[in-house]
C-alpha cells in the first residue's frame, strides 16, 4: 500500500507533468478575475468621490447665489442713502451748494 501515492500527490504530479497549459490558464483566469474586482472597486470609489464633489459644488453654487443676492440688497441705493442720513447725519446738497468738477 505504501507504493501507491496519495491523491494529493497524484493530482500535483498530474498538474506538473500533464496539465501545465490548463494550470497556467487557470492562474491567468484567477488573476484576470482579481483584476476585474479591483478595477470595479476603484471605479466605484471614484464615482462616489465624484458624486460627493458634485454635491459640494451645488452647495457652493447656492451659497454663491445667496451671497450675490445679499450683496445686491446691501448695496441698494435707497438703503445706502438711508444709512447715510440716519447714521452719518448726511443730507443731499441743494443745487446752490453743489460743485461740479470737470476736466
Amino acid at each position: 500500500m505504501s507504493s501507491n501515492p496519495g491523491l494529493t500527490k497524484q493530482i500535483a504530479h498530474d498538474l506538473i507533468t500533464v496539465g501545465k497549459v490548463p494550470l497556467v490558464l487557470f492562474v491567468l483566469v484567477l488573476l484576470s478575475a482579481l483584476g476585474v474586482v479591483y478595477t470595479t472597486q476603484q471605479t466605484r470609489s471614484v464615482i462616489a468621490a465624484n458624486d460627493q464633489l458634485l454635491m459640494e459644488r451645488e452647495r457652493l453654487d447656492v451659497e454663491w447665489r445667496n451671497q450675490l443676492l445679499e450683496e445686491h440688497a446691501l448695496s441698494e441705493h435707497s438703503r445706502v442713502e438711508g444709512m447715510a442720513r440716519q447714521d452719518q447725519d448726511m443730507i443731499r446738497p441743494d443745487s446752490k451748494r453743489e460743485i461740479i468738477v470737470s476736466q
Side-chain angles (χ1 to χ4, degrees), residues 22-47:
L23 180 62
V24 169
L25 291 176
F26 178 71
V27 169
L28 290 176
V29 166
L30 284 179
L31 289 176
S32 175
L34 289 174
V36 167
V37 169
Y38 177 76
T39 304
T40 303
Q41 177 61 31
Q42 291 299 105
T43 302
R44 287 181 181 166
S45 296
V46 169
I47 288 173

Side-chain angles (χ1 to χ4, degrees), residues 10-23:
Q10 185 66 37
I11 291 173
H13 180 301
D14 287 346
L15 284 176
I16 292 171
T17 58
V18 179
K20 288 183 181 178
V21 172
L23 180 62

Side-chain angles (χ1 to χ4, degrees), residues 70-86:
E70 184 179 352
E71 179 185 11
H72 290 303
L74 291 176
S75 66
E76 195 172 299
H77 180 70
S78 60
R79 181 179 181 280
V80 172
E81 187 174 344
M83 287 180 65
R85 288 177 192 263
Q86 186 179 24

